[in-house]
Amino acid sequence: MVEAPQTEEGWFALHDFRSIDWDAWRDAPERERRRAIEEGEAFLKHRELVADADEGDSGLFSVLGHKADLLFVHFRPSLDDLSSIERRFEDTALARFTERTTSYVSVTEVSGYVSDAYFEEGPEEVDAGLRGYIEGKLTPEIPDDEYVCFYPMSKRRGEEYNWYDLSFSDRADLMAGHGEVGKEYAGKIKQVIASSVGLDDHEWGVTLFGADPTDIKDIVYEMRFDPASSRYGEFGDFYIGRRFPPGDLGAYLAGETVPTGDAGGDGERGHAHGEGGSGGAHGEGDHHGDEGHGGRGGGHDHASAGGGSAHGDHPHGDEEASGEGDHPHGEEGASGEGDEVSDEEIRGELADLDIYAGKPHGEDVYATVLYSEADVEALFDEVEGLRGNFDHYGTHVKTAVYEGRHTDRSAVVSIWDTASAAETAAGFLSELPDVVARAGEESGFGTMGMFYTVKPDYREEFGDTFDEVGDILAEMDGHVETDLMTNVEDENDMFIASQWEAKEDAMTFFGSDEFRETVQWGREVLADRPRHVFLA
């Protein structure tokens, strides 16, 4: 009997192809279309954040041609996880406007063609580089904003050419030659090979990702001339598409080019969250990091903390925007009296006072901050699990735990490049233990985000100076609370969280001689310029 190669399996994969019932979409009332976008966005965002499992990945793609309109790709540790995802989508309002055209079920796989030693001696005995390569094949990440090509294939079992009649060594030689062709596209094409033997109609499902669709064409074309394909390959239908963030779902349904490159949205494309739009966690050109994302998703699908009325995958149970707390940058009013004060106005006022208002990466960032009274070490362990998930996204700047200098509570700070990503992250952070408040939800005006990186030699002096300024603050009209908080992982990373009754009270302090002197002194002791993020 011909020897079968050993295999090891990783995550199960579901490629779910959907067509849009465009007639029904056009005829539907605006209220129904809006609800479908909201629930579709929430469902897809939570899948991308892997809220339903301990690990995995998901991605949303547009599909060109008549065979489908949308493709949902999900990788999860078990088939049961994928089954749950299927059923949960059917519970959304978006599902009513879609029809599944086809689907494909498989499981990621590596075989003995890759390395005999991996199977015979164990993973720990092989070269670290090879081990990392194999692990990447078993638990793949989906690149952001790239083109995708999916096709199923099998090995031929004909009278003249029968793959399964060849010896192991002959098959291994053919696969090695096939792999040499693929190596020419390293850095251009990422492929995920998943076995579907016994799971679907073909024997493998192949998914190719690339920034340039012509690279996809070229690698498929060149491999057709390789004997492993020309003699022994049989292929099913090919599908081509482009990844886009869930926050662009409204733009997609409105006929716009996606990804839009504006994950925050401008409210003119039918996005889900009122005047602010509802961008996704991905932006144009973002790419996943290399750290992986095996952290907990929290096991919940809440779309927002405090301000949202999230229920499962439906972010607005009453089909309306929730109001307070949904906009971390003050669109809903930065003062306790409902006056609308934009970030730009605040930054302009600070600029008039010669105070740098931050744009740490050339663009404004968005911060979500929650306060917890849990033990700081236990809190950090919980946050570290979520952070592993957040690091998967190019829009994630940082998430860290800060311990208060004068208060008993700790702060969890999560900073993102887009407001919607910060808001989505807040939903997961709200499930942390003993959360007592979310910055920006208190009445009044919160100036959160005075971030500082202090030179190590001045760390203690910086704390002492803060205490002196704190004594002054305690005597000022409109001051509620201010604390200096220190990153539990980096004692030189600090931020000042300050709460005032109104914006005018805070601006009075910013314009004071005491603050000016502190800022001037800070230029000498800080390792870089401070960053300011504002919360209403």
Side-chain angles (χ1 to χ4, degrees):
M1 181 177 176
V2 175
E3 179 186 359
Q6 298 183 70
T7 63
E8 181 165 336
E9 290 70 36
W11 287 343
F12 288 85
L14 172 64
H15 290 67
D16 187 353
F17 293 89
R18 300 272 171 165
S19 64
I20 304 293
D21 186 340
W22 294 108
D23 290 336
W25 181 256
R26 284 187 290 268
D27 293 341
E30 175 63 25
R31 180 182 180 86
E32 290 186 16
R33 292 199 299 268
R34 185 175 182 83
R35 181 179 178 185
I37 293 171
E38 289 181 350
E39 295 185 8
E41 281 189 21
F43 172 86
L44 294 165
K45 286 179 181 178
H46 293 137
R47 303 294 79 74
E48 289 194 352
L49 284 171
V50 197
D52 52 279
D54 289 337
E55 55 185 354
D57 202 2
S58 291
L60 167 65
F61 300 82
S62 62
V63 178
L64 283 74
H66 71 284
K67 288 176 281 190
D69 294 308
L70 295 173
L71 165 62
F72 309 147
V73 178
H74 305 291
F75 295 111
R76 290 297 186 274
S78 75
L79 279 175
D80 291 340
D81 294 328
L82 297 179
S83 176
S84 177
I85 288 174
E86 280 189 310
R87 288 177 279 112
R88 296 190 75 165
F89 175 73
E90 295 298 338
D91 192 39
T92 68
L94 177 64
R96 295 203 303 268
F97 295 98
T98 73
E99 180 179 353
R100 174 180 276 172
T101 58
T102 190
S103 63
Y104 207 80
V105 178
S106 54
V107 60
T108 59
E109 174 191 79
V110 293
S111 70
Y113 299 132
V114 176
S115 169
D116 289 335
Y118 182 85
F119 292 94
E120 295 174 1
E121 301 174 18
E124 299 304 321
E125 299 302 320
V126 301
D127 174 79
L130 176 61
R131 185 167 64 249
Y133 169 81
I134 291 174
E135 290 172 353
K137 292 294 185 183
L138 295 176
T139 57
E141 292 184 358
I142 302 174
D144 284 352
D145 296 349
E146 292 201 6
Y147 290 91
V148 65
C149 171
F150 173 79
Y151 59 93
M153 65 163 294
S154 297
K155 290 300 186 182
R156 183 167 295 143
R157 291 178 291 175
E159 293 183 4
E160 182 178 2
Y161 294 112
N162 187 333
W163 178 261
Y164 296 97
D165 278 345
L166 298 177
S167 68
F168 177 85
S169 61
D170 287 344
R171 283 180 275 121
D173 288 342
L174 285 167
M175 292 304 297
H178 201 63
E180 289 300 315
V181 177
K183 288 179 182 179
E184 298 176 11
Y185 292 85
K188 295 181 179 180
I189 296 294
K190 176 180 179 179
Q191 66 175 4
V192 177
I193 308 297
S195 173
S196 50
V197 175
L199 302 179
D200 219 312
D201 293 342
H202 288 74
E203 294 172 344
W204 288 275
V206 180
T207 311
L208 305 177
F209 300 99
D212 186 340
T214 60
D215 288 334
I216 294 175
K217 178 194 77 70
D218 289 345
I219 190 174
V220 172
Y221 181 66
E222 190 170 348
M223 284 189 166
R224 287 294 173 95
F225 291 90
D226 183 78
S229 291
S230 63
R231 295 178 183 176
Y232 298 102
E234 295 181 339
F235 302 89
D237 289 339
F238 280 68
Y239 296 81
I240 187 71
R242 176 76 187 273
R243 187 172 189 182
F244 69 95
D248 282 347
L249 181 61
Y252 171 83
L253 291 167
E256 296 190 21
T257 300
V258 291
T260 63
D262 179 16
D266 58 11
E268 298 299 323
R269 296 191 291 265
H271 285 218
H273 287 75
E275 62 269 29
S278 176
H282 299 284
E284 185 76 49
D286 294 333
H287 291 274
H288 291 202
D290 296 325
E291 297 86 358
H293 55 287
R296 298 185 311 107
H300 300 275
D301 287 337
H302 302 298
S304 61
S309 57
H311 300 282
D313 289 316
H314 308 282
H316 305 300
D318 58 359
E319 300 178 16
E320 300 293 339
S322 58
E324 288 185 15
D326 284 345
H327 300 277
H329 269 58
E331 295 91 331
E332 294 296 322
S335 74
E337 300 173 358
D339 300 331
E340 293 192 4
V341 182
S342 71
D343 278 355
E344 288 307 312
E345 290 179 273
I346 298 173
R347 294 182 188 280
E349 291 184 45
L350 289 176
D352 292 339
L353 296 171
D354 194 27
I355 299 171
Y356 175 68
K359 284 194 178 181
H361 301 285
E363 299 176 341
D364 288 331
V365 291
Y366 297 78
T368 287
V369 182
L370 293 98
Y371 295 102
S372 170
E373 294 180 348
D375 174 77
V376 67
E377 292 184 3
L379 181 65
F380 175 78
D381 289 342
E382 295 281 342
V383 170
E384 192 172 27
L386 285 175
R387 186 169 59 186
N389 225 342
F390 294 162
D391 283 342
H392 187 48
Y393 296 95
T395 49
H396 181 229
V397 178
K398 69 180 290 186
T399 296
V401 176
Y402 291 76
E403 191 169 14
R405 182 176 178 88
H406 296 301
T407 60
D408 292 332
R409 63 185 186 177
S410 301
V412 179
V413 178
S414 193
I415 302 177
W416 298 75
D417 286 332
T418 65
S420 61
E423 188 66 24
T424 300
F428 297 100
L429 295 171
S430 67
E431 302 298 332
L432 292 169
D434 299 327
V435 169
V436 294
R438 177 179 174 187
E441 290 186 339
E442 302 93 343
S443 61
F445 177 78
T447 58
M448 207 306 299
M450 289 182 278
F451 288 89
Y452 303 97
T453 302
V454 182
K455 295 177 182 177
D457 292 343
Y458 290 94
R459 185 174 58 251
E460 293 186 10
E461 187 176 353
F462 187 86
D464 293 339
T465 301
F466 168 80
D467 292 340
E468 295 174 5
V469 175
D471 292 338
I472 298 172
L473 289 173
E475 302 299 324
M476 294 196 68
D477 293 337
H479 177 257
V480 178
E481 182 183 77
T482 297
D483 196 13
L484 177 67
M485 313 197 81
T486 303
N487 189 334
V488 299
E489 297 173 273
D490 180 2
E491 59 187 1
N492 299 313
D493 175 19
M494 307 178 186
F495 82 83
I496 294 177
S498 192
Q499 184 69 29
W500 300 80
E501 291 181 2
K503 179 178 75 74
E504 291 74 17
D505 298 319
M507 290 302 176
T508 298
F509 171 66
F510 288 145
S512 67
D513 291 339
E514 291 84 358
F515 185 78
R516 289 178 185 276
E517 292 173 3
T518 303
V519 169
Q520 183 61 41
W521 175 78
R523 293 188 176 119
E524 302 172 4
V525 305
L526 299 181
D528 56 16
R529 302 188 79 180
R531 296 176 294 170
H532 294 80
V533 179
F534 302 96
L535 296 174

